[in-house]
Amino acid sequence: MSEELEDSCWNILKTNMVKGNVSKKLMVIEILGNLEDRGAVFLLQEALKVNDTRIKSEALVSLGKHKDKSLIPILEQFLNDNNSTVRSASIQALAKTKNPVVVPFIEDLLNDEESEVKVTAARALVELKSTSSIPVIDKASKDNDPIVKCFIDSALKELMFINDILLAKKSLLDKNPGIRSSAAIALGKIGDSSAIPLLEKALLDKHNWVISSAIEALGRIGSPQAVQSLEKMLKQEAFKVDVIKALGYIKHKTSLEVLKKNAQDKDPLVREAVMDSIGQIGNNTVVNILETGLKDNISSVRVSAVKALGKLDLPQTHNIIIKGLDDKDLNVRIETIWALGQTHNEKVLPILEKLMKDDKYDIWASAAIINIVSEK
């Protein structure tokens, strides 16, 4: 029975990929990027044959999410595509594999004729923390286009700081706020807790974007040592969302307590960020906070709450998540369907099977069922 059901689900996804309009195709591609199944990879490879720039680009990015080393030769082919958007998407996909073998391919695109591709290549090399690319990026930073030069120069500085933590720490005191910001971002990527005291001092910077970079870095380091300093920054409205997002990287009871305190903040953007961060931490003691979030009067907060509940991967949460199916907002209902699939609880299959027959939900319900059935 489960095999037949799974086959029906795949047929719905395939049909929408082949015969659906562009919107349907893009929806399927987005879902396939989040389905941990070889069938998803196969369908995405088929999408690469579609003669549509957007579909091809989104399919490449979704393939990259699978972080499958065997896909690198396929993704590499599109670095030579005639369309710059497709080439950029191929770079992004290769970077997501986190495999150093892709570095030379991406370095070559620093010489592309299109600005978009050059900048994407530079940022991808930073994402890969490819410090060996510093000489190549340094050469590319001499670009005649001032905008391209600015972006590539920023990437170069980040890699130089990642390569030399002492230089990064020293540069937090540089006269140039752009350099101070890049140094803070790099220190966050390095993840060395010895940088926390210096980053805490950077929270007093005169420039907001430097402060925001320091907040993010303190979060990415992931040490509970930074929680107290971050909590103090919540007193400044301009940085509340940044702080809440940063706390989501710190998987510790102290950060979780701060998030709980701000779950009912007057600003919906803060409440939404709280739900996202709780979901990122994935602590099972926060179900009641997320259940309250499902009743929020702002739909984006409800969406984040149901997403977080799905990430908890607790079979018993399905009774809470299921309430989202009655939400007045379509996005909440769709996210609820996906979250039900993440519970891996077979008890929700009858509900999802019913939703498969509704063309508003058939794609999402099919994917959710595959999530559950393929686990067996």
Side-chain angles (χ1 to χ4, degrees):
M1 176 65 181
S2 61
E3 285 185 14
E4 291 179 10
L5 178 58
E6 188 174 3
D7 287 343
S8 297
C9 292
W10 280 116
N11 284 333
I12 287 174
L13 295 181
K14 289 174 187 175
T15 300
N16 278 282
M17 178 67 82
V18 175
K19 298 181 180 179
N21 56 31
V22 172
S23 177
K24 290 277 188 180
K25 284 183 170 70
L26 291 172
M27 193 183 299
V28 173
I29 288 169
E30 179 188 351
I31 288 171
L32 293 174
N34 296 306
L35 269 182
E36 296 179 8
D37 190 290
R38 290 301 301 177
V41 172
F42 173 77
L43 266 186
L44 286 169
Q45 287 179 260
E46 290 299 302
L48 293 177
K49 300 173 184 177
V50 178
N51 189 26
D52 182 288
T53 297
R54 190 176 174 192
I55 288 172
K56 197 180 292 185
S57 298
E58 293 298 330
L60 284 166
V61 173
S62 282
L63 272 173
K65 289 180 181 179
H66 284 269
K67 299 179 182 178
D68 186 339
K69 296 177 183 178
S70 69
L71 293 173
I72 290 175
I74 296 170
L75 300 174
E76 183 194 349
Q77 293 175 23
F78 292 88
L79 291 175
N80 299 314
D81 196 271
N82 292 328
N83 187 280
S84 61
T85 302
V86 174
R87 295 199 299 277
S88 291
S90 181
I91 293 170
Q92 293 174 50
L94 286 167
K96 287 182 185 300
T97 66
K98 301 295 182 184
N99 193 318
V101 75
V102 307
V103 167
F105 310 144
I106 296 175
E107 286 180 341
D108 287 344
L109 272 295
L110 288 169
N111 300 312
D112 197 272
E113 58 187 19
E114 294 294 333
S115 301
E116 169 198 2
V117 179
K118 294 177 187 177
V119 171
T120 303
R123 295 312 309 169
L125 291 169
V126 173
E127 184 180 342
L128 288 164
K129 298 181 184 178
S130 178
T131 54
S132 64
S133 301
I134 289 175
V136 183
I137 297 180
D138 185 28
K139 184 178 179 181
S141 69
K142 310 297 190 294
D143 198 277
N144 293 326
D145 185 329
I147 297 177
V148 173
K149 179 177 172 59
C150 179
F151 278 104
I152 294 183
D153 192 51
S154 175
L156 175 63
K157 286 185 175 65
E158 276 190 54
L159 280 178
M160 289 174 65
F161 295 147
I162 290 171
N163 190 50
D164 186 345
I165 188 171
L166 293 178
L167 175 63
K169 289 177 177 179
K170 182 180 177 181
S171 296
L172 280 177
L173 303 174
D174 196 275
K175 293 179 181 179
N176 186 327
I179 291 177
R180 297 200 299 276
S181 177
S182 293
I185 291 170
L187 287 167
K189 289 177 179 176
I190 294 170
D192 190 329
S193 60
S194 70
I196 289 177
L198 288 171
L199 288 167
E200 288 176 330
K201 289 181 180 178
L203 297 176
L204 302 174
D205 200 279
K206 296 178 181 178
H207 295 269
N208 282 5
W209 81 84
V210 177
I211 295 173
S212 291
S213 297
I215 288 170
E216 181 181 345
L218 285 167
R220 286 190 179 276
I221 289 173
S223 170
Q225 181 185 339
V227 172
Q228 188 175 1
S229 296
L230 287 171
E231 185 174 15
K232 288 179 181 177
M233 292 300 293
L234 286 171
K235 296 175 183 177
Q236 300 185 47
E237 292 290 333
F239 302 111
K240 262 192 169 183
V241 173
D242 289 341
V243 171
I244 295 297
K245 288 180 178 178
L247 288 168
Y249 293 111
I250 303 174
K251 300 181 185 297
H252 192 266
K253 61 182 180 180
T254 53
S255 58
L256 199 59
E257 286 305 313
V258 178
L259 291 171
K260 287 179 181 179
K261 291 177 189 175
N262 290 273
Q264 298 298 318
D265 193 89
K266 62 182 179 180
D267 185 347
L269 292 177
V270 173
R271 299 198 301 276
E272 181 181 341
V274 167
M275 301 301 153
D276 289 336
S277 288
I278 286 176
Q280 196 163 310
I281 292 174
N283 189 289
N284 296 344
T285 66
V286 294
V287 174
N288 60 325
I289 300 288
L290 298 175
E291 187 173 10
T292 301
L294 277 178
K295 301 170 185 174
D296 200 278
N297 62 337
I298 302 296
S299 62
S300 60
V301 179
R302 300 198 299 277
V303 166
S304 292
V306 79
K307 276 184 181 179
L309 281 164
K311 288 178 182 177
L312 291 181
D313 195 12
L314 292 172
Q316 64 265 34
T317 59
H318 77 277
N319 287 324
I320 300 170
I321 294 172
I322 211 165
K323 296 174 185 176
L325 292 176
D326 296 321
D327 198 279
K328 61 184 178 182
D329 186 273
L330 178 61
N331 291 325
V332 177
R333 297 197 297 275
I334 286 175
E335 199 58 54
T336 297
I337 293 169
W338 181 250
L340 286 171
Q342 288 182 296
T343 66
H344 306 302
N345 190 327
E346 291 190 356
K347 291 180 180 179
V348 303
L349 286 176
I351 296 169
L352 293 173
E353 285 185 69
K354 184 177 179 180
L355 291 167
M356 270 177 64
K357 299 170 184 176
D358 188 326
D359 61 6
K360 289 197 299 294
Y361 310 118
D362 58 345
I363 294 174
W364 290 97
S366 298
I369 290 171
I370 290 169
N371 249 350
I372 296 170
V373 175
S374 63
E375 282 283 307
K376 292 185 67 179

